[in-house]
Amino acid sequence: MAVKKNAAADAAKVEKKVEEVKAAATEKKAAAKPAAKKAAGKKPAAKKAPAKKAAAKKETGDKVVLQYNGKDIEMKAVVEAAKADYKAKTKKTATNVVVYVKPEDNAAYYTVAGKGAEDFKVDL
């Protein structure tokens, strides 16, 4: 009979432990539901277009750099400066730009669509 009493006591302990675990799980679910409802109730934030930052853009691809008299002159920057100079002078967009770099004059001269002028010059 002693064995049966211990088995019954053990079964009661196990059943009590199962009830405690179930109660704890129910409490966890109840605690999680308000957070889930809050998250579900919020409207998603409007997506903003990413800001364009030329300075933060990583450099990719090839480039040509002229080193002269202790200076590093990037050719892409010279071409962009020539296009900007042309637009400032004529209010037109430059097409078919050809740049002639003259380091001894510390300048770059350019033509647009095969046409040049004395003032089509960018200082380096």
Side-chain angles (χ1 to χ4, degrees):
M1 285 274 186
V3 174
K4 285 186 181 180
K5 285 184 182 178
N6 287 340
D10 289 342
K13 286 180 183 178
V14 169
E15 192 172 318
K16 186 176 180 182
K17 188 66 175 175
V18 168
E19 287 178 22
E20 289 175 4
V21 169
K22 283 183 181 179
T26 304
E27 287 176 17
K28 275 188 176 181
K29 283 183 183 179
K33 281 185 181 181
K37 284 183 181 178
K38 286 180 184 176
K42 288 185 180 178
K43 293 182 181 179
K47 292 183 181 180
K48 294 181 181 178
K52 294 181 181 180
K53 295 182 181 180
K57 187 177 178 181
K58 290 185 179 180
E59 289 186 30
T60 58
D62 302 326
K63 64 181 179 179
V64 178
V65 178
L66 172 69
Q67 291 185 328
Y68 178 77
N69 224 12
K71 287 178 147 182
D72 284 351
I73 303 164
E74 190 174 337
M75 293 299 103
K76 185 175 181 179
V78 174
V79 172
E80 294 302 319
K83 288 179 179 180
D85 185 62
Y86 181 78
K87 186 164 183 116
K89 289 177 181 172
T90 64
K91 308 289 188 237
K92 297 179 183 176
T93 303
T95 57
N96 296 331
V97 177
V98 178
V99 178
Y100 301 90
V101 179
K102 267 185 103 173
E104 62 271 11
D105 291 349
N106 200 29
Y109 301 92
Y110 62 92
T111 62
V112 177
K115 297 178 182 176
E118 289 182 19
D119 64 335
F120 286 4
K121 175 184 170 184
V122 177
D123 293 324
L124 299 177

